Amino acid sequence: MSIGTSEAVLQVLSGSVPRLLCSDPCFSKSDSIIPSKSYIKCIKKTASRYMKLLNCSSMQESPMGIHQFQGIGHSLYGNTAIDRLRLLSCKCQRAESLSGITAEDGNGTWFVNNSKNLNPINGVVNTQNVLEFKEVQQLDQKEGFPSNGNLAAVETVRDTLHKGSVDSIEDEAWDLLRESMVSYCGSPIGTIAAKDPTNSNVLNYDQVFIRDFIPSGIAFLLKGEYDIVRNFILHTLQLQSWEKTMDCHSPGQGLMPASFKVRTVPLDGDDSATEEILDPDFGEAAIGRVAPVDSGLWWIILLRAYGKSSGDLSVQEKVDVQTGIKMILRLCLADGFDMFPTLLVTDGSCMIDRRMGIHGHPLEIQALFYSALLCAREMLAPEDGSADLIRALNNRLVALSFHIREYYWIDLKKLNEIYRYKTEEYSYDAVNKFNIYPDQISPWLVEWMPIKGGYLIGNLQPAHMDFRFFSLGNLWSVASSLATMDQSHAILDLIEAKWADLVADMPFKICYPALEGQEWQIITGSDPKNTPWSYHNAGSWPTLLWQLTVACIKMNRPEIAAKAVEVAEKRISRDKWPEYYDTKRARFIGKQAQLFQTWSIAGYLVAKLLLADPSAAKILITEEDSELVNAFSCMISANPRRKRGRKSSKQTYIV
Ligand code: GLC
């Protein structure tokens, strides 16, 4: 967690260790979002000194109006500090006491029963509910999902349940989500990754992660609570421009942090006051030192969702925000050595943030990239200066969708094609462009691929196809229209056919199958956290429920998501909202899983809210536009492989 001494020295030399002060003009209308270096230096001196002392920076305004310092660090300040804290220029409040949050109760269906009879700490759950679900389960004991399932049937099933207990799971989830809120300068700014009061080994789970906040933000948007999302967007934007280094090397401007923490430190030069700072982690302190490529992409997606949901377009129209979008785009669209339109990234640059053999062109990043490009195009204000950028963006969209749809797609038919590939084709019109050796087709895949269905593979490199099924990449390819309509349906068909593998006792497997034996040793570096069927290595992550729900709603098949939500509801609250589950069938709470993991809670809530009002999913969905379709069909007809190899496969691609 902490930066090693040598790195700290290097950072001092390079004048880094960026800090954001709340006394900054956080929401100034100024066009400049790059702070002056001397300002950063001056803050650094103070911040680094006190950072060692402070373990907890949250303060509370007591009913008597006396500020109390919470947490381990308080003894350092004693009673004098309590008085001094009255002088704070930027007072902190605990989220619960914030009155600025607009509680618009939204859809009555979800809040019929307001009784909060669950104890979130002891995880007491209504056992009657569990039994009833067992009965429901008997309706569907087969492997796989009932193929003719429809929403009406699901509704009927749901109606047989004890509605009150489901409502109280939701109430509990809302309570927990609100408890996870973090304030900065008195306003809500995000949610911490996990808040398990019984766990002292919090690692960096006490931080606000950008990717983890997305479902929280969406839940708040769907509830009509816009402030926290707006604050999150604007404050993280300020972090984007921070100078960041690792061993004297800086990543590109435009990188968004993986996470940040709100810290309270004494005000520089004034012993009688403190101030809050935002302390971002761009990967320079993260385990493995990974740069979070997905953060900026998610930020753009959330920004669009905020505008669509709240109707407040003034945020995306701000000059600072427009600049922020462009900085992310420039970083992603920069020319490099690549032959492929996909983004080349290191291992661990997304939700799977440690070594799992996904370096190269992992599907998750490509789906988020595509989605962010579409969202950004919608929001960028037309102006002379950005014509080149928009041209580059449009070209990339076409090339990227062609590349993924054409080369990442597999189903039984395509698998058989690969099985019969010729290799070492040197020519412009090679069928086997990436020189894939058919022996790479793993035995598990031959068995696993259903007759009906298909999916986008995890990664594609020269002479390498990573055939593992990665859920987030596939689900977001559906939501963003990176996959064609036919492919999107086929992905959902596969999910239904492979229900026992992908959902089983808890939705949703992060990837399938697990790396085992020597493969696990070599690819993960014998990572004890990523043992087979655990954590990133084919563990089951409840947060993925929300992306599943968006994908299902987009394809007008919400019954699939509704069924998965029912599975989750059987135990997620009783198990205290774990981060992930282990074993092939997700039977155990993950070995090192955090409890009360915020994105498990928020993911569940978003799934419920969207299923209650599927039209709300439009804030997250992007439809394919006609320009793209035209450009794509030109490319398809110009593709030699089409001419030579797959004349009859037209139905696979809607172009
Ligand atoms: C783990 C996950 C990562 C998540 C973080 C905080 O590191 O792999 O995706 O953002 O925890 O929850």
Side-chain angles (χ1 to χ4, degrees):
M1 282 298 297
S2 59
I3 305 174
T5 324
S6 58
E7 283 124 322
V9 169
L10 284 165
Q11 284 186 339
V12 170
L13 286 175
S14 62
S16 68
V17 188
R19 302 283 179 252
L20 180 59
L21 275 163
C22 85
S23 47
D24 277 358
C26 295
F27 298 109
S28 84
K29 292 223 164 13
S30 144
D31 288 0
S32 159
I33 51 172
I34 302 177
S36 80
K37 200 157 175 176
S38 60
Y39 191 48
I40 296 170
K41 270 186 181 167
C42 136
I43 307 312
K44 183 194 67 193
K45 234 175 84 194
T46 308
S48 57
R49 178 156 46 97
Y50 286 97
M51 214 65 73
K52 294 190 192 89
L53 304 175
L54 284 172
N55 288 327
C56 173
S57 61
S58 117
M59 289 185 302
Q60 187 171 23
E61 186 153 13
S62 76
M64 307 297 289
I66 298 169
H67 294 95
Q68 295 169 334
F69 217 83
Q70 302 273 301
I72 310 161
H74 76 286
S75 58
L76 294 164
Y77 296 87
N79 290 337
T80 337
I82 295 173
D83 287 337
R84 282 175 182 175
L85 294 171
R86 288 171 191 268
L87 303 171
L88 275 181
S89 58
C90 169
K91 291 181 185 134
C92 308
Q93 288 177 293
R94 298 256 309 180
E96 305 91 278
S97 65
L98 280 175
S99 55
I101 302 162
T102 49
E104 201 180 283
D105 265 353
N107 192 330
T109 15
W110 300 109
F111 298 98
V112 179
N113 181 352
N114 267 333
S115 61
K116 297 185 173 71
N117 51 8
L118 288 179
N119 177 344
I121 307 303
N122 297 327
V124 181
V125 78
N126 191 326
T127 45
Q128 189 186 355
N129 182 24
V130 176
L131 290 174
E132 280 165 346
F133 265 109
K134 277 207 179 117
E135 285 157 24
V136 173
Q137 275 299 95
Q138 285 166 3
L139 296 172
D140 174 31
Q141 286 296 316
K142 287 177 289 161
E143 275 232 331
F145 188 84
S147 54
N148 292 326
N150 57 44
L151 192 54
V154 172
E155 297 278 47
T156 320
V157 168
R158 210 183 313 144
D159 286 349
T160 65
L161 303 175
H162 191 285
K163 193 168 182 316
S165 50
V166 171
D167 282 350
S168 53
I169 295 178
E170 286 171 46
D171 288 347
E172 182 201 9
W174 273 113
D175 287 347
L176 291 170
L177 184 61
R178 290 189 198 291
E179 277 169 34
S180 75
M181 283 164 78
V182 172
S183 291
Y184 176 63
C185 302
S187 302
I189 189 188
T191 50
I192 55 168
K195 195 171 188 189
D196 178 1
T198 61
N199 183 6
S200 53
N201 184 23
V202 292
L203 298 168
N204 50 354
Y205 285 85
D206 60 350
Q207 305 208 2
V208 180
F209 277 74
I210 308 298
R211 72 174 73 85
D212 292 43
F213 179 73
I214 306 305
S216 299
I218 304 295
F220 288 121
L221 290 181
L222 294 174
K223 198 91 194 305
E225 296 175 19
Y226 305 125
D227 285 0
I228 185 170
V229 181
R230 181 176 187 277
N231 293 341
F232 173 88
I233 287 169
L234 291 172
H235 282 293
T236 47
L237 175 71
Q238 297 225 326
L239 298 174
Q240 179 192 36
S241 302
W242 242 241
E243 193 184 326
K244 48 243 168 198
T245 53
M246 184 195 150
D247 299 347
C248 286
H249 176 74
S250 306
Q253 283 289 314
L255 185 70
M256 283 279 185
S259 59
F260 65 85
K261 193 170 166 64
V262 179
R263 297 185 196 275
T264 304
V265 295
L267 189 64
D268 204 17
D270 182 355
D271 280 353
S272 61
T274 66
E275 61 201 343
E276 286 187 328
I277 57 167
L278 293 186
D279 183 14
D281 180 3
F282 290 89
E284 74 273 23
I287 298 163
R289 302 290 192 264
V290 278
V293 178
D294 63 340
S295 291
L297 305 174
W298 275 124
W299 182 86
I300 289 178
I301 294 166
L302 184 66
L303 175 64
R304 171 181 176 264
Y306 169 82
K308 280 196 161 294
S309 179
S310 67
D312 169 19
L313 300 183
S314 72
V315 173
Q316 68 192 48
E317 285 164 0
K318 272 174 176 275
V319 180
D320 287 5
V321 175
Q322 288 281 317
T323 309
I325 300 173
K326 285 183 210 157
M327 277 165 71
I328 297 171
L329 292 180
R330 290 215 173 89
L331 191 58
C332 295
L333 294 170
D335 290 336
F337 291 103
D338 312 304
M339 289 297 290
F340 304 158
T342 36
L343 265 187
L344 178 63
V345 299
T346 62
D347 225 342
S349 53
C350 53
M351 176 186 184
I352 296 177
D353 57 0
R354 52 206 281 150
R355 211 172 130 191
M356 264 291 289
I358 60 163
H359 55 277
H361 305 91
L363 180 66
E364 177 179 331
I365 289 290
Q366 314 315 324
L368 293 176
F369 181 32
Y370 183 81
S371 179
L373 288 180
L374 281 179
C375 294
R377 192 171 64 165
E378 241 179 80
M379 295 185 291
L380 275 178
E383 52 161 28
D384 294 347
S386 53
D388 283 352
L389 188 69
I390 291 178
R391 200 170 308 118
L393 186 158
N394 278 323
N395 289 342
R396 195 63 171 261
L397 273 173
V398 176
L400 183 62
S401 67
F402 177 82
H403 187 87
I404 297 284
R405 292 169 175 195
E406 190 70 3
Y407 305 127
Y408 277 58
W409 182 252
I410 52 164
D411 52 17
L412 208 54
K413 187 166 181 287
K414 177 73 180 286
L415 206 53
N416 205 155
E417 243 181 69
I418 299 170
Y419 180 71
R420 290 166 53 79
Y421 265 168
K422 291 185 181 51
T423 57
E424 318 299 337
E425 293 175 285
Y426 178 83
S427 65
Y428 288 107
D429 61 351
V431 173
N432 181 6
K433 276 203 177 99
F434 306 100
N435 202 30
I436 305 298
Y437 300 106
D439 277 358
Q440 273 176 43
I441 299 176
S442 322
W444 70 264
L445 184 57
V446 180
E447 299 303 320
W448 199 68
M449 184 64 84
I451 294 168
K452 188 174 172 218
Y455 66 95
L456 297 165
I457 59 168
N459 214 321
L460 176 70
Q461 319 258 48
H464 175 66
M465 288 177 109
D466 183 344
F467 288 111
R468 281 175 292 172
F469 174 86
F470 284 89
S471 304
L472 180 47
N474 272 282
L475 296 173
W476 211 253
S477 298
V478 175
S480 65
S481 299
L482 174 56
T484 66
M485 288 294 274
D486 280 3
Q487 288 173 344
S488 298
H489 276 300
I491 290 168
L492 297 189
D493 290 342
L494 178 125
I495 289 172
E496 288 188 326
K498 295 292 156 189
W499 195 256
D501 292 327
L502 300 175
V503 176
D505 290 351
M506 180 56 72
F508 201 93
K509 275 269 151 54
I510 195 167
C511 65
Y512 185 91
L515 296 168
E516 302 193 67
Q518 216 183 12
E519 222 181 0
W520 165 77
Q521 281 175 356
I522 296 169
I523 294 178
T524 71
S526 299
D527 183 348
K529 200 165 174 184
N530 271 332
T531 50
W533 310 104
S534 179
Y535 200 43
H536 300 141
N537 191 8
S540 298
W541 293 65
T543 188
L544 291 168
L545 261 181
W546 79 269
Q547 288 104 339
L548 173 72
T549 307
V550 176
C552 292
I553 289 174
K554 161 119 192 303
M555 301 316 294
N556 205 15
R557 294 165 73 173
E559 71 277 4
I560 301 173
K563 175 93 180 155
V565 167
E566 282 179 10
V567 173
E569 263 164 356
K570 280 199 287 181
R571 46 191 296 221
I572 192 163
S573 156
R574 185 188 52 187
D575 291 346
K576 302 178 191 167
W577 307 91
E579 180 187 14
Y580 64 93
Y581 285 79
D582 285 358
T583 80
K584 256 186 177 177
R585 287 194 58 95
R587 303 191 89 171
F588 292 164
I589 296 170
K591 214 183 326 175
Q592 295 185 47
Q594 297 285 322
L595 301 180
F596 302 104
Q597 177 81 15
T598 305
W599 71 354
S600 299
I601 297 161
Y604 166 76
L605 283 174
V606 171
K608 293 292 281 193
L609 289 165
L610 291 179
L611 286 171
D613 178 14
S615 69
K618 64 178 181 299
I619 65 168
L620 296 158
I621 286 168
T622 44
E623 300 288 353
E624 191 169 42
D625 71 11
S626 51
E627 269 174 53
L628 208 67
V629 174
N630 286 340
F632 186 71
S633 51
C634 293
M635 286 186 79
I636 287 272
S637 47
N639 179 23
R641 182 168 162 269
R642 292 249 138 218
K643 287 184 203 145
R644 288 182 44 184
R646 306 187 59 204
K647 282 192 193 96
S648 62
S649 62
K650 241 185 189 159
Q651 75 277 16
T652 317
Y653 303 95
I654 300 267
V655 290

